[in-house]
Amino acid sequence: MATQKPFEIAIVGGGITGLTLAIALHHRGIKIQIYEAAKAFGEIGAGVSFNANAVGSMKICHDEVYDAFLKVRTRNLWPKKEKVWFDYHDAFGDEAEELETSKLVYTIYSSIGQNGVHRARYLESLIHLVPDKLCHFNKRLKNIVQNDSGRSTLHFADGSTAEADAIIGCDGIKSNVRRLLHGDDHPCAQPTFSHKIAYRGVVPMAEAIKAVGEERASNACMHLGPGGHMLTFPVNHGQTLNIVAFTTKDEDWTSLTGQSSDKLTAPTKRQNAIKDFAGFSGDVQRLLKLTAEDLDIWAIFHLGDNPPPSYAKGNIAILGDAAHATSPHHGAGAGMCIEDSAVMAELLADPAVQTRADVEVVFATFSEVRKERGDGLVQSSARQGRIYEWQTEYGRDFGKQEAEIKERNARIGEVDVAKLVEEAREVLRKRLADRS
């Protein structure tokens, strides 16, 4: 482990992002404490996939982060599909044709193909990498007060407090750190509804094979149609199939479900999902019928309408979904969070960073070098979701869809993260030099 630095960082939020950052900083000799609002670490949702940028970032963060991923990842089960990200299918046909099975129209490849994990399993593989003494639960952040000494006091809902030299918010889409950083009245304080919802399910692989055949169940597929799309990929080492079916709604979230924006899920029935995908192929219908009778609707909120003006002020920074919460249509949100962690960890570990004032320069640098890429992902993901549902200027022109998705995926996923880190380090060193 590196020589310990003379400052302490409070990490607010202990999901995949917060734990990845904590592991990276701990192994670089940076004192940390993690404050998690829940009674234990946990992730909502089922499957999540990672692109090449995410896997490269894991390696930069720490070998153990990458090893934890390898233990739980599931790739396409057919060797010849190793480099396939998704096979894309027309799941709707035309008005004169009702499809029994979706029709393959194009395939998107990537350098590492599909790499899916179950969120909870991956989180479990990370938890044991952080010493218990650094983790504090039931710590819902209410306020941050700057002290005369330059340190900050974190005030929690249970009445307790903690001090740190600097604070990094990894507390997700409904980030309290972002709210405190920019103010309750700032538009970015709350995410907005993208008018897309998702039905999620995880079903036994054997049942999925009976429903759609071995090839489509065993490998990542995207089923496209007007106003809706379904993605599937294997998780749990091929024992189960992750199903996510998205559809667009005109109503706002509260009108649709009766839930406030504080709650991102609402109970529903499987029959409602089947109704929303009426007219889609038999493949889509049969997969939906495999899901549980009682489901949840997942609201797709994001920061695309009101991105934060900066990712840092003084000794407070936001990272991951707290900074750039995105819709999932790129399959890159979690990966960008890990990329953030790699960049932040490497900047804080720079030998020139030794004081609280230096940390503030790191945070300003992080905001400068990461904001365009983070905000860009949010916008690109929203666009990609519209492409999947034939809501762009070229509708169901599959050739134009394929070309744009290839370009967007390469821009987000096929990047040299080590180069991004080095470019960030150069900006940091210039800022430090200009200050002196």
Side-chain angles (χ1 to χ4, degrees), residues 53-74:
N53 67 309
V55 175
S57 299
M58 293 173 192
K59 294 175 181 178
I60 291 171
C61 285
H62 195 264
D63 288 343
E64 290 181 339
V65 173
Y66 177 60
D67 291 342
F69 160 72
L70 291 180
K71 290 177 183 176
V72 298
R73 77 165 175 181
T74 302

Side-chain angles (χ1 to χ4, degrees), residues 30 32 44 48-49 78 203 253 305 318 333 391-392 414:
I30 296 167
I32 58 162
I44 60 171
V48 60
S49 64
W78 285 18
V203 303
W253 176 241
D305 298 325
I318 49 176
Q391 295 166 330
T392 68
E414 302 293 332

Side-chain angles (χ1 to χ4, degrees), residues 44-181:
I44 60 171
V48 60
S49 64
F50 291 113
N51 297 315
N53 67 309
V55 175
S57 299
M58 293 173 192
K59 294 175 181 178
I60 291 171
C61 285
H62 195 264
D63 288 343
E64 290 181 339
V65 173
Y66 177 60
D67 291 342
F69 160 72
L70 291 180
K71 290 177 183 176
V72 298
R73 77 165 175 181
T74 302
R75 310 187 75 179
N76 288 326
L77 303 185
W78 285 18
K80 72 176 185 178
K81 300 275 191 178
E82 181 182 3
K83 300 295 185 182
V84 170
W85 188 57
F86 279 102
D87 283 330
Y88 284 74
H89 298 81
D90 178 358
F92 204 80
D94 56 42
E95 292 182 2
E97 178 186 32
E98 186 171 319
L99 296 177
E100 175 60 23
T101 60
S102 300
K103 291 183 177 180
L104 179 66
V105 288
Y106 55 90
T107 296
I108 300 293
Y109 298 88
S110 76
S111 61
I112 65 170
Q114 182 63 235
N115 285 262
V117 304
H118 191 288
R119 282 180 178 272
R121 301 294 86 75
Y122 184 45
L123 187 74
E124 288 167 4
S125 70
L126 294 174
I127 288 170
H128 77 275
L129 302 178
V130 182
D132 290 344
K133 65 182 180 180
L134 303 181
C135 306
H136 311 273
F137 300 102
N138 295 308
K139 300 299 178 185
R140 183 171 299 281
L141 184 67
K142 300 297 287 184
N143 198 15
I144 299 171
V145 177
Q146 302 297 331
N147 301 336
D148 292 340
S149 66
R151 284 167 64 85
S152 294
T153 300
L154 297 87
H155 293 258
F156 301 105
D158 65 357
S160 64
T161 61
E163 281 196 1
D165 292 292
I167 298 164
I168 301 177
C170 299
D171 50 343
I173 187 169
K174 296 186 288 184
S175 171
N176 281 323
V177 178
R178 182 181 69 245
R179 177 181 58 80
L180 292 168
L181 190 66

Side-chain angles (χ1 to χ4, degrees), residues 248-434:
T248 301
K249 296 292 185 180
D250 293 332
E251 306 99 313
D252 63 38
W253 176 241
T254 300
S255 298
L256 184 66
T257 65
Q259 302 277 26
S260 72
S261 59
D262 290 336
K263 293 185 177 180
L264 302 186
T265 64
T268 192
K269 296 291 184 180
R270 177 177 59 209
Q271 192 56 39
N272 290 325
I274 293 171
K275 180 180 178 182
D276 276 344
F277 284 85
F280 279 67
S281 70
D283 284 346
V284 170
Q285 296 291 321
R286 286 188 293 274
L287 287 171
L288 287 174
K289 288 176 182 177
L290 292 179
T291 60
E293 174 63 27
D294 294 311
L295 293 173
D296 283 332
I297 301 174
W298 294 71
I300 308 303
F301 278 71
H302 66 168
L303 289 175
D305 298 325
N306 300 301
S310 70
Y311 292 175
K313 284 184 184 178
N315 67 339
I316 303 173
I318 49 176
L319 182 150
D321 285 349
H324 44 74
T326 181
S327 59
H329 309 305
H330 246 302
M336 193 64 76
C337 296
I338 296 173
E339 189 180 298
D340 279 354
S341 296
V343 174
M344 180 66 84
E346 286 289 86
L347 292 179
L348 287 170
D350 190 284
V353 177
Q354 294 294 329
T355 67
R356 189 185 306 119
D358 295 338
V359 172
E360 293 190 13
V361 178
V362 166
F363 286 0
T365 300
F366 178 85
S367 182
E368 176 183 343
V369 302
R370 296 299 297 169
K371 192 172 188 311
E372 181 178 357
R373 183 159 165 79
D375 292 355
L377 168 64
V378 182
Q379 298 301 328
S380 189
S381 181
R383 167 76 179 181
Q384 200 132 300
R386 294 192 294 273
I387 292 173
Y388 294 163
E389 299 183 6
W390 307 352
Q391 295 166 330
T392 68
E393 64 276 14
Y394 43 74
R396 61 181 295 177
D397 186 322
F398 297 121
K400 290 182 179 179
Q401 287 183 15
E402 179 182 8
E404 182 168 340
I405 292 167
K406 280 181 177 178
E407 187 277 328
R408 288 182 178 278
N409 279 15
R411 191 190 326 144
I412 297 298
E414 302 293 332
V415 298
D416 183 345
V417 181
K419 182 179 179 182
L420 294 181
V421 168
E422 188 52 43
E423 291 171 351
R425 194 178 283 122
E426 289 175 4
V427 174
L428 171 64
R429 289 172 178 168
K430 184 178 186 305
R431 279 177 169 268
L432 289 171
D434 289 346

